[in-house]
Amino acid sequence: MINILHIFDIFQRHPQFRQIRILRDFRMLHKKKGISLQEYIDFRLDLQPESFRQSFLGLNEQRYYLDYLNPIKYYSLARNKFLAHKIFEGTGIKTSKLYCYYQPEGKTIESDSIANDLLGVIKILKEKKVTECIIKATESSHGNNVYAVVEITYGDDNCSLKLHNNTEISLSSIIGKTALIFESMVRQTSQLASFNSSSVNTVRFMTALYPDNKARLVATFIKIGRAGACVDNAGNGGNVDACIDIDTGELKHAIRFDGWDKITDITNHPDSGARIDGVRIENWDKIVEDVLHFQECFPYIKVAGWDIAITDDGPVVIEVNDFWDRTGQYFIRRGWRNEIRNCYLAWKDTKRKYDLQRQPNKLSERQLKAIINK
């Protein structure tokens, strides 16, 4: 929902005689690019340079491209973390080790990794001698429903989980109607941990796969958690973010992102004091090469947002996103409309047939085609 105070904020940034021009400017961007009023407000499009405004990819146009590039029939392969694990394991994509998949529906045939009740989960974890793990809902985003367990004390019919913040919960308190995965901890490099040690500070790699099965890098930025947090969520704010130069791996334009109305330019992490701007990620060229290989091994999603942990053994996939928010364009100070559109046009040129199912869009097919053809 649009906050009326945000609209007033736009007006306050401009003299009264320009307020009508601002309204006209929004109407023009809405007509030419399908930009919503919320996007105009959040991304401060009234203040952005023309290069950003023209390259910005809004939700309506993005959905149209991704309906084709990442068809709905493949959604579950990315959104269900259990299925994604299995595909990664089968194609050599580096990811964490999967200990257990808890699926509360139905009865599970004897399995060393799938359980459908509390005792089944305990049995699997005990047999694998798991002493620490990450627990996630199989279909969630923005770091929701994530538990970083640093110690497990087993009992006969329950177990105690000590979390990263030293609080304790019982396993039975989180075993319910929500499907969960239990996976190994990921150890990031000392360089990445120096920014904030309580969270795995992931790099978002935006990649595009072309019909020649070659992947290209669209954009990169880093998401860094705050002190005490175990996740690095960016979409909803409450963290630190910075652009990463695609060619050099250098961090720049660092910000403290506490929500769209509270963005602060910084050079150092507000909690640890670690320098962010100007730091270059070690072994960057090899990391990029590996992530592009991941995309080529996962052709079901042709434009992906990979959340990657950088470890001493190279990049490790935390998750892959088939549909992502537009926030990263603010972090990198440019839009990625041209890259996503070019990938879409390349696949359209192959005249590949899809049983295409379009998602609801606020713009008509005629309006969207006019926008795309510009």
Side-chain angles (χ1 to χ4, degrees):
M1 181 178 293
I2 295 171
N3 188 333
I4 192 67
L5 294 177
H6 292 177
I7 299 176
F8 288 148
D9 183 54
I10 288 181
F11 285 164
Q12 289 172 359
R13 292 201 295 260
H14 300 279
Q16 186 173 2
F17 71 89
R18 285 204 62 202
Q19 292 176 6
I20 297 301
R21 292 177 61 185
I22 293 300
L23 291 175
R24 288 175 177 169
D25 183 55
F26 161 68
R27 289 181 55 130
M28 180 272 294
L29 285 178
H30 176 71
K31 181 178 180 180
K32 289 186 175 181
K33 295 176 62 62
I35 301 301
S36 70
L37 181 56
Q38 190 66 65
E39 289 169 334
Y40 190 87
I41 294 168
D42 286 346
F43 288 88
R44 296 167 168 80
L45 292 177
D46 57 311
L47 300 178
Q48 295 290 357
E50 194 61 22
S51 58
F52 182 93
R53 287 157 52 93
Q54 293 305 316
S55 64
F56 177 75
L57 181 62
L59 175 62
N60 291 317
E61 188 178 1
Q62 171 181 292
R63 181 180 284 124
Y64 191 85
Y65 295 142
L66 297 190
D67 280 346
Y68 188 86
L69 293 168
N70 303 342
I72 193 170
K73 62 183 179 181
Y74 293 136
Y75 276 12
S76 61
L77 301 185
R79 299 185 185 186
N80 184 295
K81 294 178 175 61
F82 173 68
L83 294 178
H85 256 287
K86 289 302 181 182
I87 294 174
F88 295 160
E89 291 170 5
T91 55
I93 296 175
K94 293 182 183 177
T95 189
S96 55
K97 183 177 180 180
L98 178 66
Y99 295 134
C100 178
Y101 171 46
Y102 165 68
Q103 172 51 262
E105 297 181 23
K107 183 173 177 59
T108 303
I109 298 173
E110 189 67 24
S111 170
D112 64 355
S113 61
I114 303 175
N116 71 324
D117 58 24
L118 174 63
L119 294 180
V121 173
I122 294 173
K123 179 176 182 289
I124 290 172
L125 297 181
K126 270 187 174 181
E127 288 179 349
K128 295 183 178 179
K129 299 179 180 179
V130 178
T131 59
E132 61 177 15
C133 66
I134 297 292
I135 306 174
K136 302 176 182 175
T138 56
E139 297 190 36
S140 62
S141 60
H142 296 311
N144 297 324
N145 299 314
V146 176
Y147 301 90
V149 180
V150 298
E151 184 180 328
I152 302 177
T153 303
Y154 291 99
D156 292 334
D157 58 1
N158 208 342
C159 55
S160 176
L161 309 176
K162 183 178 181 181
L163 305 184
H164 73 287
N165 58 4
N166 289 322
T167 61
E168 292 191 15
I169 61 173
S170 64
L171 180 59
S172 61
S173 69
I174 61 174
I175 293 292
K177 296 181 179 179
T178 301
L180 302 170
I181 59 169
F182 297 72
E183 60 186 17
S184 64
M185 291 275 195
V186 173
R187 308 292 184 192
Q188 62 192 337
T189 63
S190 58
Q191 182 189 38
L192 272 290
S194 69
F195 298 132
N196 183 64
S197 60
S198 69
S199 59
V200 176
N201 307 307
T202 59
V203 176
R204 169 63 63 89
F205 284 82
M206 305 290 298
T207 59
L209 183 69
Y210 277 72
D212 61 0
N213 202 40
K214 296 296 182 183
R216 302 179 191 177
L217 198 54
V218 173
T220 50
F221 54 92
I222 190 170
K223 302 174 289 180
I224 304 171
R226 298 297 303 275
C230 68
V231 295
D232 59 4
N233 169 47
N236 290 338
N239 69 340
V240 171
D241 306 279
C243 170
I244 303 179
D245 186 285
I246 287 177
D247 297 322
T248 66
E250 180 180 343
L251 277 60
K252 55 187 179 181
H253 309 316
I255 60 171
R256 175 176 170 173
F257 185 60
D258 294 316
W260 284 109
D261 55 344
K262 294 181 181 179
I263 298 175
T264 308
D265 291 332
I266 58 175
T267 57
N268 296 61
H269 193 282
D271 304 317
S272 68
R275 181 78 181 183
I276 298 175
D277 269 15
V279 173
R280 292 195 177 193
I281 294 180
E282 298 163 355
N283 303 314
W284 180 249
D285 290 344
K286 182 62 169 64
I287 291 168
V288 170
E289 179 184 339
D290 287 349
V291 174
L292 291 178
H293 177 66
F294 295 165
Q295 171 66 89
E296 291 166 2
C297 292
F298 197 72
Y300 324 102
I301 305 301
K302 294 175 178 59
V303 179
W306 301 85
D307 287 332
I308 300 291
I310 308 302
T311 74
D312 290 334
D313 294 324
V316 171
V317 178
I318 301 299
E319 66 179 32
V320 59
N321 298 276
D322 65 288
F323 197 91
W324 55 87
D325 59 41
R326 282 85 56 217
T327 315
Q329 296 173 100
Y330 189 92
F331 303 156
I332 66 175
R333 307 295 170 94
R334 66 174 177 83
W336 48 53
R337 188 245 183 188
N338 294 337
E339 291 87 346
I340 306 302
R341 177 176 179 271
N342 288 342
C343 185
Y344 166 81
L345 293 175
W347 282 100
K348 285 289 286 186
D349 283 346
T350 67
K351 304 200 183 323
R352 189 167 184 165
K353 297 294 184 182
Y354 284 120
D355 180 16
L356 193 61
Q357 293 176 270
R358 289 285 185 197
Q359 298 303 294
N361 201 306
K362 292 184 178 181
L363 301 182
S364 69
E365 186 89 1
R366 180 183 60 80
Q367 288 174 296
L368 286 163
K369 286 184 177 180
I371 291 169
I372 291 162
N373 291 331
K374 288 179 181 177

